[in-house]
Structure formats: structure tokens, C-alpha cells
Amino acid sequence: MTDGILIVSEGDCERLIDRTRAFSAVEAVFGAMARGDAYNFPVIREAIGYADALYGFKSGFDKAGLALGLKSGGYWPGNADKGLTNHQSTVFLFDPDTGQLQALVGGNYLTAIRTAASSAVSIAHLARQDARVLGMIGAGHQAQFQLRAAAEQRSFEKVVAWNPHPEMLPKLAAVSDSIGLPFESVSAEDVGRQADVIITITSAFEPLLLNDWIRPGTHLACMGTDTKGKQEIDAAIAARAVVFTDEVAQSISIGEMQHPVADGSLSEADITPIGAVINATHPGRTDAGQITLFDGTGVGLQDLAVAAVAARSAAESGNPTRVSLA
Ligand code: NAD
């Protein structure tokens, strides 16, 4: 890309990146990570002592996809009162040949769609082909994206859902309705007992799903835990499961696997990067009775992957917005 810095707005991203493109970009970068062609740099995340905000950077380099850069952003709890999204992010892409800033890309929609793509990739590669009931634990902003992306991976016949704040469920039910999937609001226990695939996407700090509720053959995509101390599922589930993740280092430090690793019921060596399954160097699910668990912690390379696709598409569109620092 030449001729100045490309500006790709949130609206541009929504027009340029759909679920299919996000899925392909995230699947490819997970594969590149497992081959050693792409790596994430250490994450910075700080409470800044102002506006109760958490702020930081996720960054990395994908030598295969030639994406270099970072996502800057965080969480401003007071934003909702100002009519703004609490989570705010922007992706910066740099030219890997020169280090010059290539593009500034709105990161809010991209975060939602790349996180949904992550659990969708896990379902595509690990869930039983005959999965028919999709379970949702969580009903916030991100849950709506997760549901749409998951629904495309198997021939689901219904959605069963539970959320700690039941008043949030009607919005998720409307999404399910809009894609023609019957939706039932049930207890957390019944999500565990009925669903073939379960996505957890909450801000919980204690287990919402207990071990006894999970049936053999279930696939779980645990997506909400992205910080030390958060937890969505009983750690004992991991000890029964074949465990996959986007990145092992994050899984055991800030992901859901921090808990079974801390209590000694799981070791780092028991966790496989999902990229190995994508690259066919690990068989993934080998038995219909296995519980498979994907710990989706959210890595910077996912953001760069979808932002790079958005930037390329914007550059190829008739009239991209550019500014110059010169
Ligand atoms: P949101 O604020 O829109 O929704 C929050 C969800 O968590 C709701 O279901 C709410 O009922 C539930 N919740 C809130 N407080 C809770 C508590 N104390 N205990 C249990 N549940 C609680 O948020 P969102 O954008 O939907 O994000 C949901 C979670 O996903 C957050 O933890 C966020 O950090 C995480 N996230 C992860 C990734 C990733 O890549 N893994 C990406 C984006 C967001």
C-alpha cells in the first residue's frame, strides 16, 4: 500500500468483512501460529488510574500473511452513559518491509467478528458433525456475534441459553429468531445437559457451568475469560476434556485454563494449539464421546488478520480514505 495512511472506519469494516472472510482470516492465522510463522508479542494491559479505564496493546507479526501491528484499546466503564461502547479499540498496521504506518482501522466491530470467528473455527474443527443443539451461556454484545457465527458451522435445530442477567436474553432470542433457529431460555444446568456445543461468553469470575452437567461428546468454546481471575466453567471439566486453545501461553495465564493448571488437574503439555488441528498435525476429536474444549483467549494476531483483510479490501475499493504524515 502506498500514497499515505489508509483510514478504515468502523462502517467500512462492517461493509468489507463478513463472517466468512473473518473465519478464513482467523483460521489461517491460527494455522500460521502453530507452524511458527506468526507470533504474538507480550500483551500490555494496565489500569490507568483515570476514568476507571483499562488500557493496553495486543500486537504481533504474521510472516505468512504479512501483517505487522497492534490493537490499542481497552475498557471504559463510563462510556455507556455517554452513548459509547465500553470496549474501544483501534488497529494500527505497519508495512513489514519498511516499518511505515500503513493503515488505521476501527477495531470495535473487528473485535466482535474475530472473536466469533474464533469459536466458529473451533466448532468447525472439533464439534461432532451431528451436533444439533447449540448452548449459549452469556447474552451480551459479543454473544450475538458468537451465535450467528456458530449457527453456520453445523445443522443446529435449536438454541438453549442461560444468562446471569435474564433481562438480556430477549436480544439474543431475537438474533436466533432472525436466523430461523428456535430459542429456549433454560437453566444453566439444562444448557449443560442438552447442548452438543456450548459457547460461554460472560464476564464471570466464578464457574457458571458445573462438571456433572456436561455430557460426553460435548464441544465447549470458552470465550469470556481473557483476564486473570475470570472463570466461566468448573475447572474439573478441563480434566475430562481434550483441550485446545488459540495460544497456550495466554490460555494458562489469562484464559480459562489458568484454573485447572493452578489446581494441578491439567498441565501446559495437555493443551494443544488449535492451529495444529487446522494444519492436520493433530487429529482433533477422535471419538464421538470425547468432550472437546476450546479456550479462546483472544490474540492480537486475530485482530491484525481481520484488519489486514479490511485494509486490503478498502485499498482495492474505488475511493479509499488516505492521510499523509509527510
Ligand atoms: P457485555 O458487557 O456486553 O456482556 C457481559 C456478559 O457477561 C453478559 O452475558 C452478562 O450477563 C455477563 N456478566 C456481567 N457481569 C457478570 C458477572 N459478575 N458474573 C457473571 N456474568 C456476568 O460484554 P461482551 O462484550 O459480550 O463480552 C463478554 C466477555 O467476553 C467479557 O468478559 C469480555 O472481556 C470477553 N471477550 C473475550 C474476547 C476473546 O477474544 N476471548 C473478545 C471480546 C470479549
Side-chain angles (χ1 to χ4, degrees), residues 173-190:
V175 171
S176 199
D177 242 31
S178 74
I179 54 176
L181 266 181
F183 183 95
E184 282 175 30
S185 157
V186 299
S187 65
E189 178 169 350
D190 280 340

Side-chain angles (χ1 to χ4, degrees), residues 218-303:
T218 303
H219 174 66
L220 292 114
C222 302
M223 305 303 297
T225 298
D226 55 1
T227 306
K228 205 168 172 49
K230 282 188 185 173
Q231 181 172 13
E232 296 189 290
I233 65 163
D234 191 341
I237 297 171
R240 280 168 74 198
V242 190
V243 179
F244 302 86
T245 187
D246 41 20
E247 190 185 82
V248 174
Q250 279 203 175
S251 173
I252 64 172
S253 55
I254 58 169
E256 193 65 36
M257 293 306 103
Q258 63 184 285
H259 304 291
V261 167
D263 75 19
S265 57
L266 193 79
S267 78
E268 185 174 341
D270 297 325
I271 309 174
T272 303
I274 193 164
V277 182
I278 293 165
N279 297 338
T281 57
H282 185 288
R285 169 182 292 279
T286 54
D287 180 325
Q290 277 174 339
I291 293 174
T292 50
L293 190 161
F294 174 68
D295 184 9
T297 65
V299 294
L301 283 169
Q302 283 170 257
D303 299 298

Side-chain angles (χ1 to χ4, degrees), residues 136 138-139 161-163 165-174 183 185-186:
M136 296 292 303
W162 178 82
N163 192 53
H165 306 98
E167 69 280 6
M168 295 171 84
L169 282 164
K171 268 197 174 164
L172 194 62
F183 183 95
S185 157
V186 299

Side-chain angles (χ1 to χ4, degrees), residues 87 111 114-115 138-143 163-165 168 201-205 208 223-224 226 230 296-298:
H87 290 272
T111 299
R114 66 76 149 149
T115 306
H141 176 68
Q142 190 60 57
N163 192 53
H165 306 98
M168 295 171 84
I201 183 75
T202 69
S203 317
F205 281 82
L208 305 175
M223 305 303 297
D226 55 1
K230 282 188 185 173
T297 65

Side-chain angles (χ1 to χ4, degrees), residues 6-317:
L6 201 55
I7 307 291
V8 190
S9 70
E10 289 286 341
D12 292 337
C13 289
E14 288 186 36
R15 271 197 311 282
L16 296 168
I17 300 269
D18 58 11
R19 284 187 296 281
T20 307
R21 299 188 93 187
F23 182 102
S24 303
V26 168
E27 186 182 48
V29 84
F30 284 166
M33 283 164 59
R35 287 194 309 272
D37 285 340
Y39 63 105
N40 293 287
F41 306 157
V43 175
I44 306 280
R45 195 162 165 88
E46 297 284 330
I48 61 172
Y50 183 78
D52 280 335
L54 288 174
Y55 175 70
F57 307 100
K58 283 188 168 181
S59 55
F61 179 44
D62 176 2
K63 211 189 303 180
L66 286 186
L68 172 69
L70 60 92
K71 178 168 85 169
S72 152
Y75 184 74
W76 276 259
N79 274 7
D81 297 339
K82 300 173 185 158
L84 300 170
T85 309
N86 286 352
H87 290 272
Q88 287 292 330
S89 45
T90 310
V91 181
F92 295 65
L93 294 175
F94 296 87
D95 182 338
D97 288 308
T98 64
Q100 286 184 303
L101 182 60
Q102 273 182 332
L104 284 177
V105 188
N108 294 349
Y109 166 77
L110 290 185
T111 299
I113 199 118
R114 66 76 149 149
T115 306
S118 175
S119 52
V121 165
S122 84
I123 295 166
H125 287 277
L126 296 170
R128 292 186 345 257
Q129 289 298 334
D130 65 351
R132 293 294 174 267
V133 179
L134 173 61
M136 296 292 303
I137 300 284
H141 176 68
Q142 190 60 57
Q144 301 175 31
F145 288 85
Q146 298 290 329
L147 172 51
R148 283 185 195 278
E152 290 166 348
Q153 305 311 319
R154 291 292 183 268
S155 302
F156 290 112
E157 290 168 357
K158 72 169 175 176
V159 175
V160 290
W162 178 82
N163 192 53
H165 306 98
E167 69 280 6
M168 295 171 84
L169 282 164
K171 268 197 174 164
L172 194 62
V175 171
S176 199
D177 242 31
S178 74
I179 54 176
L181 266 181
F183 183 95
E184 282 175 30
S185 157
V186 299
S187 65
E189 178 169 350
D190 280 340
V191 172
R193 293 196 185 281
Q194 291 183 33
D196 302 307
V197 170
I198 302 174
I199 298 175
T200 61
I201 183 75
T202 69
S203 317
F205 281 82
E206 58 192 5
L208 305 175
L209 271 182
L210 299 189
N211 186 25
D212 288 351
W213 304 344
I214 306 300
R215 295 181 306 167
T218 303
H219 174 66
L220 292 114
C222 302
M223 305 303 297
T225 298
D226 55 1
T227 306
K228 205 168 172 49
K230 282 188 185 173
Q231 181 172 13
E232 296 189 290
I233 65 163
D234 191 341
I237 297 171
R240 280 168 74 198
V242 190
V243 179
F244 302 86
T245 187
D246 41 20
E247 190 185 82
V248 174
Q250 279 203 175
S251 173
I252 64 172
S253 55
I254 58 169
E256 193 65 36
M257 293 306 103
Q258 63 184 285
H259 304 291
V261 167
D263 75 19
S265 57
L266 193 79
S267 78
E268 185 174 341
D270 297 325
I271 309 174
T272 303
I274 193 164
V277 182
I278 293 165
N279 297 338
T281 57
H282 185 288
R285 169 182 292 279
T286 54
D287 180 325
Q290 277 174 339
I291 293 174
T292 50
L293 190 161
F294 174 68
D295 184 9
T297 65
V299 294
L301 283 169
Q302 283 170 257
D303 299 298
L304 301 187
V306 288
V309 175
R312 267 196 295 277
S313 305
E316 288 159 12
S317 72

